Amino acid sequence: MRKYAKHNNKIYSLNIRNDKYRLKSKEQENGFKELIDLGGNVHHDIFIKEVTLDEIDFLFELRHRIIFKGKEYEAFSIGELVIDDGKITLFSSDYKDYESNGFEKKEQFVFTKEVSIYEIDALVEIMEPILEFFNFPEERKVIPSNQVKEYLGNFS
C-alpha cells in the first residue's frame, strides 16, 4: 500500500526517507520544486515538497473495497488496469457468493468474480491512519460507480 499525507486540505503521495516527509504532486504548487532524481535528471512533471511532521494533518495508507449487490468485497487491484479495461476482480471467502452471486472457486475458501466497474454499486476509499497518526479514526468515503474511473484517474 502506498502512503499518503493530508497537507493544507489536499492529499499527496508521500515518501518518507531519513525522517524527511516528501510530498509529491503532478502539478506545480506553492513550495513544490521539480524532482531531480539520483542520476541528476530533472522531471518536469513531478513536483516535490519537503515538510515537517507538524505541517501534516494526517498520514495514512489508502485501501479500497468494492460494494457489489449491497455487500462489501476486497478487490484484487485498484489502479491503472481498472481504468484501462474497466474491470475489477472481487474476492470472497463466503460460499454463498459462489452459490448465488456467480463467483468462481479458485481454491478452498477463495472465490473470485470479475465485474465491470459499471456493475458495482460503489467503491469505498479507506484512509487507514499510520505512524504518528495511528490513533486517529479511519476515514471512509463512498464513490458511486459512475464516478470510479474519474476518481481512479486522480491516483494513477
Side-chain angles (χ1 to χ4, degrees):
M1 279 188 275
R2 290 172 39 188
K3 291 176 178 54
Y4 293 89
K6 268 191 188 178
H7 171 69
N8 292 337
N9 294 319
K10 286 187 77 176
I11 294 175
Y12 297 95
S13 181
L14 175 72
N15 185 327
I16 303 170
R17 190 176 300 145
N18 300 327
D19 293 325
K20 294 185 181 183
Y21 299 85
R22 296 176 72 191
L23 307 178
K24 182 172 111 178
S25 176
K26 295 177 185 177
E27 302 169 10
Q28 175 69 57
E29 299 180 46
N30 189 26
F32 283 74
K33 296 179 180 172
E34 290 177 323
L35 172 67
I36 301 173
D37 64 26
L38 296 174
N41 302 308
V42 178
H43 296 265
H44 302 290
D45 59 343
I46 302 172
F47 303 92
I48 301 294
K49 178 180 181 179
E50 281 193 14
V51 296
T52 65
L53 186 59
D54 292 337
E55 296 174 278
I56 295 174
D57 303 319
F58 186 50
L59 290 173
F60 62 95
E61 287 183 340
L62 194 60
R63 292 186 303 117
H64 294 95
R65 306 249 323 161
I66 304 297
I67 300 175
F68 177 69
K69 295 188 177 182
K71 184 176 174 183
E72 258 189 45
Y73 293 96
E74 292 286 338
F76 176 69
S77 176
I78 300 291
E80 283 188 48
L81 284 177
V82 173
I83 296 169
D84 292 343
D85 70 9
K87 296 188 182 298
I88 298 174
T89 300
L90 307 178
F91 283 91
S92 176
S93 58
D94 187 345
Y95 191 76
K96 291 178 186 174
D97 289 320
Y98 174 72
E99 292 178 313
S100 59
N101 286 332
F103 279 63
E104 295 178 21
K105 185 175 183 177
K106 292 297 179 187
E107 55 187 75
Q108 187 173 4
F109 306 115
V110 178
F111 308 100
T112 64
K113 180 177 179 109
E114 186 174 88
V115 297
S116 162
I117 61 171
Y118 301 108
E119 292 178 78
I120 67 172
D121 301 333
L123 179 136
V124 180
E125 173 189 79
I126 303 166
M127 295 178 182
E128 190 173 310
I130 58 169
L131 303 172
E132 291 83 350
F133 294 83
F134 76 93
N135 59 349
F136 278 48
E138 178 179 277
E139 294 183 22
R140 294 171 62 95
K141 180 171 131 183
V142 176
I143 294 93
S145 63
N146 63 348
Q147 296 174 15
V148 169
K149 265 196 169 184
E150 179 184 345
Y151 166 83
L152 293 175
N154 294 327
F155 286 95
S156 60

